[in-house]
Structure formats: structure tokens, C-alpha cells
Amino acid sequence: MKQKIKQLIYEALKEAHKKGKLPSSEFPDIQIEEPKSQVHGDFSTNAAMIMASSQKMSPRKIAEAITGNLGDRNQIISKVEIAGPGFINFYLKESSWYPVLFRIHEENARFGSSNLGKGEKIQVEFVSSNPTGPLHVGHGRGAAVGDSVGNILAFCGYDVEKEYYINDSGRQINTLGRSVFYRYRELFGEKIEFPATCYQGDYIRDIAIKIKDADGNKFLEQDEETAVSYCARLAAKEILEGIRQDLDFFGVKFDVWFSEQSLYDSGKVESVINDFKKKEIVYKNEGALWFKTSDYGDEKDRVVVKKNGEKTYFASDIAYHQEKYERGFDLVIDVWGADHHGYIPRLTACVEASGKDRNQFQVILVQLVNLLRGGEPVAMSTRAGEFITLKDVISEVGRDAARFIFLTRHYDSPLDFDLELAKKKTSDNPVYYVQYVHARISSIIRKAAEREISDIVIDDEAIAMIIQSEEVELMKALARYPETIENSAKLMEPHRITFFLMNLASLFHAYYNKHRVLTDDPLLSRGRLYLVAAVQKVIRNGLTLLGVSAPERM
RNA sequence: GCGCCUGUAGCUCAGAUGGAUAGAGCAACGGACUUCUAAUCCGUAGGUCGCAGGUUCGAAUCCUGCCAGGCGUACCA
């Protein structure tokens, strides 16, 4: 709709110039806005004000030249006025919104999709939690954001792959193995002072018990290194399986599970380091090998190989990100917890060193989640192994509520997640508010079927019945959906969709309370049913992008 | 110290690329179910957009400085 108005204005500008009303034929990019207040029309433009200096005319004179030459072939405008310093306000006819409804019914689940991405290959990597313990709430937020961003980008014509990076190599895995091994020995009555650096959670003991049940005391007789390494492999596999299940439970699916260890096994890490040596962007100092990340804007250089010969986590990260581009991605998006933000410059450096542009790499930093219960912080001590896992949260509040709440904030701001609030089935809880719209409309459609108006079809007479101001507001909101999706994709901000849905829901509930859809007048009923069914389709469409279900009944 | 993020109603937060009188929800108060689901709606009240300058027709939004909070600043992951 904005585009249509914009086009009309440009045509008017050309026309006015042809008639000699405007001296310059240079027309800048004008903006069409939806005024906050109804008294300023359905749309307004600042075109006249922007052009004041280039046309060397007063804004009001320019505005007159525009309005005087406005053509309206499709008869969508009911009134145009010039207001304030030179705004031009457009008032549209109710009927100008009807095509939006036609499109929604025709495109249904595809409404709002686009070819913005033109098939560009994007990888979204998220969660990527170490397989040393279960997922917690923070991972849940990352999962909800990453999954949804992936959905939205795919909807906008990008070729998206979702990936989970498994940190199954290095010291933390060794620590995991030792943790399990100590618990295992304890099971045979050995008194062990359990190191504070080891993982404390009960799940470690559970794995030890499994090993004991399967293999008995076999590992007590082997040398420690072999036993630890076995425990590590088994525990990591076990925990990763749990993570997969939790994510599945949360409705998050990955296209690829990528193993860090595989980068070592294939020699990729080694070859990247050699490559960097050849390019002389790494150097030796005090026995360690450093990457000159400061040449690429990092505040200082970073170690790739430690003095003791061990490779740092950064080493495999360099290899990993290079490998991503070799798979043909035009853009790589990493979703990280905000506490990792110091890592961005050094990874940007490695992307640039690999010959890629720095804007082919983007990081979404998701802020912390504070878990509350009834307004009080929930004690979370990883060290003592006392924490509420993502699985606990989902079991308690439900998948839909959890996912929706994670997306009710810009990822940039910290989120308070209140378990009591998330469980509440009232208007405090926005999920149900939105889902309720879907259920209510489903109910209306069922009732309509009983009255044998099962086919939601439309004709000119029926649709012409849609004239109430609440109905126009609904249509205006629906018309905004495609641009909401587009902005959400461009900025990678799923919460824009969440807020759109809450707003649409609010308009619908108000309408529902004021007007009946099914009335004694069949024509009116058909028209309203058509409108309401469009609302339902858009609600379902949006919820799907967020990974939330759209129930028929509640 | 340096870097990143945040500061908008009592609380939790929206306000992309500057637009007209800054918006929701919760909490408070008062109303609406013989009618398609009251998990809903309507109304009232609530503001120095952290502070101070600057840019311009016009600033919550852009620039500078300051204040407050969070996070980071490892040969940890």
C-alpha cells in the first residue's frame, strides 16, 4: 500500500514538472509513513518538506503542486490534505484495503514471504553448547532466537542452514571424562576428594552408574588415561544425546551437527595454521604461536598454539569458520551469549584473513536470562550442580510459552523469565493472548460450518459489507505484515513479529467484543468471516515463524 | 583504564533508516458474559524519553561530553 502511494506521488511530481509547476526534475527518495494519530490520515508523506531546498520553493507550494496533479486510477483515495509545515495526508477508502484480504487468502502460509534474499546462502549457527552438561535457560533463549531468525530468513528467500557446533575436543572434554571417572571410582567405595574444577552435577554420577552397570569394574584395572578418555567419549555422546532430545522437545531442529573433533581428524586445523604461516599472519613469541588479529582491528594479538603445544579453542574456531565459507555460505551468522562479545573482533579478523569481507560474518549477541519465580531470583549455582535446566523450564511452562517469551524482547536487552508468570493462563501471558485469537476464530469457523457457510468464499457484495472502523484497522494491520517480516529479516529481529502479533491480537479481541461475525444477515456474515479467516491465517503464519503452535481450541 | 551493551510511565518493555499530541502490557481504580470461547473487552489515571550541550524546519532516535548499571578485557571454554 505504501508503495502504491509512493508511486502516485512520483507520478504527480513528474506531471507537475511537465506543467512547469516545479523547477527541478530531481526528486529525492521520499518517505511514506503511517501517522500515529488517525486525524492525520491513513498515510502521510514528508515529500514536500524534503524537496524545499532543491526546488527552492516553500513546502506548502510544493505540496499544492503534488496534490494538484495526483492521479488516482484505482480510486483508492477518499481525501488528500496538506497539513502543518507541509505534510501531505492521504485518507483511503475502505475498499482500498480489500486486495490485502484477497492476497492473504490466496497466499496463506506464504503471505509475507519474499525473494529478498535471492537465494543467498546463509548459515545460522546457534546454541552450540559444550556437551559437558545439560542446556539451561540461556541456551533456550539462544535456541529460540536462532531458530526463529533462520525461519524468517528462509521465508524471505534466503537459502538457510541451521547448524550446531559440537565442542567435543579439548580440555573441557578431558575434564568431563575425569569427572565421570572419579564418580565411577566412588561407586566402588573409593574415597575421592572430588576436584572443584570438575563438573559437579548429578548427571555425571548417572553416567558413571551407567558405565558401572555396563562394564562393571573393568576400568579400575586400566590405566587412568585410557579410562578417562573412554569416560569422556561416552559421557559427551550421552550428554549430546540429551541435548538433542531437549532441543527436539523445544521444537528446534538443526540441519547439521558439526563436530569440532572432526576438524582435527581431517587435518583442517593443522592446514589452516600452515596456511597462515605461509601468509605470515602468525608469528612465534615466547614459545607460543600468535595470530596478528590486531592487524584486523582487534585490540591485541591472540594465541593459536600454546607454549606447551596445545592448540587453543581459537585455533579450531579459525578452521571452523574457514570451513563454513568453503561450504559456500555467503553470510555466516553466529548466535552467542552476550558474555562472548570480546570474541567478535578476533573472529572477524580470521574471516578477513581468509579473504572474506567482514560483513559476511555477523554475530547476534543474546543478552542474559534471569530466571525468576514469582518475582524472586532462582538460585543458579553451576558449581554446586544446582540449576534449572531448559528441559525443566519447558516441562513446567510448556514449549509455546517458553518460546514466545524468549521472543518478547529484543535480544539485545536482558530478559527476566518468570516461571510463575509463564505458567499463568491470563492476559499477563502474551502467548495465550495471541493463540486465543486463533482458537476463537477456529470456533467461529466451526460454528459457521454448522450453519452451512463452510466455504469461505467472497464476492463483491459480501466484501463491501466490511466498512466498520475496527475492520479497517484490522485490514491496515494485516497489510503491514509483509513489511514487518522484511524488517525482521533485515535486522534479524524476531521480536518484531512477536509485537506485530500481539498488536493484531489486540485489534481482533476488541473487534470480537464489539461486532458479531455470524449474524442474521448472510451477506454480512460472509464478508466478516472472510476478514476474520484472513486474520487467522496471518496469526498462524506468524506463530509458525516463531516456532509456536496455533491451536484450534483452548 | 579500555571496549561492547543498556538507561523511555510505579514495574516489564516497544518505538529500524530523524516527523505532527512518545505507545503497549502489568499493577491501581470503575464498568461489560440470556448472543460466535470472559485465557476477552471498555473506561480512568499515570512521562523532564538518565543529565548537559550540539546538528535542523523538526531529536527518544544523529553527534560530543558526563552520570548510572550489566558484560568483557586469559597461552579458559
Side-chain angles (χ1 to χ4, degrees):
Chain A
M1 194 61 78
K2 274 189 189 173
Q3 291 308 316
K4 279 188 197 165
I5 305 278
K6 203 168 182 172
Q7 207 183 331
L8 288 177
I9 293 168
Y10 277 119
E11 282 167 12
L13 284 168
K14 277 184 208 152
E15 188 64 24
H17 176 67
K18 214 190 286 174
K19 289 184 186 165
K21 296 264 173 71
L22 292 172
S24 168
S25 62
E26 294 284 307
F27 305 126
D29 191 31
I30 59 170
Q31 286 161 33
I32 309 293
E33 277 149 11
E34 288 182 60
K36 288 168 202 148
S37 165
Q38 199 61 51
V39 302
H40 297 124
D42 293 312
F43 291 100
S44 73
T45 182
N46 56 0
M49 283 138 79
I50 292 180
M51 278 182 247
S53 61
S54 64
Q55 297 286 358
K56 300 198 172 58
M57 282 169 72
S58 80
R60 288 197 75 101
K61 279 260 158 44
I62 299 169
E64 280 164 26
I66 295 171
T67 55
N69 289 285
L70 214 51
D72 181 18
R73 288 183 309 277
N74 298 327
Q75 297 287 306
I76 58 172
I77 296 168
S78 71
K79 189 171 78 168
V80 179
E81 65 180 21
I82 301 169
F87 288 106
I88 305 172
N89 297 335
F90 297 86
Y91 296 78
L92 303 193
K93 293 180 180 170
E94 292 90 3
S95 59
S96 67
W97 300 103
Y98 298 158
V100 174
L101 301 183
F102 303 152
R103 262 188 72 195
I104 293 169
H105 280 288
E106 194 184 315
E107 300 178 13
N108 195 358
R110 300 297 306 164
F111 178 67
S113 65
S114 64
N115 192 29
L116 189 70
K118 301 188 184 79
E120 194 178 308
K121 282 193 75 175
I122 296 190
Q123 185 207 49
V124 187
E125 183 218 317
F126 55 106
V127 188
S128 300
S129 156
N130 294 346
T132 52
L135 298 176
H136 55 72
V137 231
H139 297 123
R141 188 177 189 189
V145 170
D147 192 46
S148 189
V149 164
N151 292 345
I152 295 162
L153 291 173
F155 200 56
C156 289
Y158 291 91
D159 181 3
V160 177
E161 208 165 281
K162 297 175 188 169
E163 181 152 315
Y164 187 113
Y165 181 56
I166 311 160
N167 297 118
D168 52 1
S169 164
R171 200 156 75 194
Q172 82 279 6
I173 289 296
N174 190 270
T175 305
L176 174 69
R178 269 178 37 233
S179 310
V180 172
F181 185 58
Y182 292 155
R183 290 296 187 214
Y184 171 80
R185 279 162 50 187
E186 277 180 353
L187 294 175
F188 292 94
E190 211 173 313
K191 274 254 183 280
I192 288 179
E193 205 160 307
F194 201 74
T197 51
C198 280
Y199 297 100
Q200 313 283 321
D202 289 341
Y203 62 95
I204 297 291
R205 191 174 281 110
D206 294 343
I207 293 167
I209 291 169
K210 268 196 180 167
I211 295 176
K212 184 189 167 202
D213 289 348
D215 299 300
N217 65 353
K218 181 170 144 194
F219 296 104
L220 293 179
E221 278 128 44
Q222 293 185 358
D223 70 289
E224 179 156 334
E225 205 183 318
T226 318
V228 165
S229 133
Y230 175 84
C231 289
R233 262 204 324 277
L234 189 114
K237 195 174 152 230
E238 193 84 15
I239 293 168
L240 187 65
E241 191 46 41
I243 289 173
R244 273 183 217 258
Q245 280 170 15
D246 290 355
L247 287 167
D248 199 54
F249 189 35
F250 199 38
V252 175
K253 288 233 177 358
F254 287 91
D255 300 306
V256 177
W257 294 75
F258 194 95
S259 152
E260 179 187 11
Q261 185 60 45
S262 74
L263 291 166
Y264 285 102
D265 296 344
S266 67
K268 182 73 195 171
V269 178
E270 205 59 44
S271 80
V272 167
I273 292 172
N274 288 334
D275 183 46
F276 277 20
K277 275 181 187 159
K278 259 182 243 151
K279 290 184 185 158
E280 294 182 2
I281 46 183
V282 290
Y283 62 92
K284 280 242 173 199
N285 186 30
E286 294 177 10
L289 191 70
W290 299 70
F291 177 11
K292 291 188 205 172
T293 51
S294 61
D295 283 2
Y296 301 90
D298 198 1
E299 59 188 46
K300 57 181 222 176
D301 294 342
R302 307 292 172 178
V303 170
V304 177
V305 184
K306 298 185 220 170
K307 197 158 48 183
N308 64 10
E310 262 178 52
K311 293 181 184 69
T312 60
Y313 183 81
F314 183 43
S316 49
D317 254 349
I318 298 170
Y320 179 42
H321 282 79
Q322 200 166 87
E323 200 274 347
K324 289 185 182 198
Y325 293 105
E326 283 165 13
R327 279 191 263 160
F329 293 111
D330 301 302
L331 174 64
V332 166
I333 299 169
D334 286 11
V335 180
W336 296 345
D339 53 340
H340 286 64
H341 76 257
Y343 228 73
I344 297 175
R346 75 187 76 167
L347 267 183
T348 307
C350 91
V351 167
E352 281 193 293
S354 311
K356 295 288 167 181
D357 196 284
R358 63 165 53 210
N359 58 30
Q360 286 182 275
F361 174 64
Q362 284 190 44
V363 178
I364 296 178
L365 284 181
V366 181
Q367 291 289 334
L368 298 180
V369 179
N370 299 310
L371 197 62
L372 307 175
R373 186 181 288 284
E376 295 299 313
V378 175
M380 296 275 272
S381 163
T382 318
R383 200 184 54 79
E386 273 172 24
F387 50 81
I388 296 190
T389 63
L390 176 62
K391 191 181 174 183
D392 296 336
V393 172
I394 306 169
S395 309
E396 187 169 341
V397 311
R399 185 218 266 197
D400 286 340
R403 285 194 75 145
F404 199 90
I405 289 168
F406 283 133
L407 299 173
T408 51
R409 294 265 179 293
H410 187 156
Y411 55 73
D412 235 0
S413 53
L415 169 70
D416 288 339
F417 192 108
D418 196 308
L419 289 163
E420 291 307 319
L421 204 103
K423 270 197 293 192
K424 270 201 208 166
K425 301 198 168 173
T426 66
S427 48
D428 304 14
N429 195 340
V431 208
Y432 301 113
Y433 188 76
V434 174
Q435 287 185 321
Y436 192 40
V437 171
H438 193 270
R440 268 188 156 172
I441 297 173
S442 299
S443 171
I444 294 173
I445 292 172
R446 282 193 298 271
K447 281 281 188 316
E450 287 168 20
R451 299 193 192 180
E452 292 167 359
I453 347 179
S454 54
D455 292 335
I456 299 170
V457 287
I458 200 63
D459 50 69
D460 292 348
E461 271 181 276
I463 200 163
M465 303 300 281
I466 305 176
I467 48 168
Q468 299 296 331
S469 64
E470 290 82 4
E471 295 171 330
V472 174
E473 287 307 307
L474 274 173
M475 290 189 290
K476 281 173 77 172
L478 293 171
R480 245 176 271 137
Y481 187 66
E483 75 177 85
T484 302
I485 298 293
E486 192 176 316
N487 288 336
S488 180
K490 280 182 187 162
L491 301 164
M492 299 188 289
E493 295 177 350
H495 78 282
R496 288 171 183 277
I497 297 174
T498 315
F499 279 90
F500 172 91
L501 291 174
M502 292 194 283
N503 180 251
L504 181 61
S506 160
L507 291 172
F508 173 78
H509 287 311
Y511 173 60
Y512 180 92
N513 273 273
K514 191 163 174 188
H515 302 283
R516 280 188 67 81
V517 173
L518 303 176
T519 63
D520 295 335
D521 180 351
L523 207 56
L524 180 63
S525 304
R526 277 222 312 282
R528 288 186 173 171
L529 198 57
Y530 192 70
L531 166 67
V532 149
V535 172
Q536 188 193 35
K537 283 179 177 169
V538 172
I539 293 275
R540 186 165 51 218
N541 181 318
L543 285 176
T544 304
L545 290 175
L546 303 181
V548 176
S549 73
E552 301 282 322
R553 293 169 204 273
M554 283 172 74

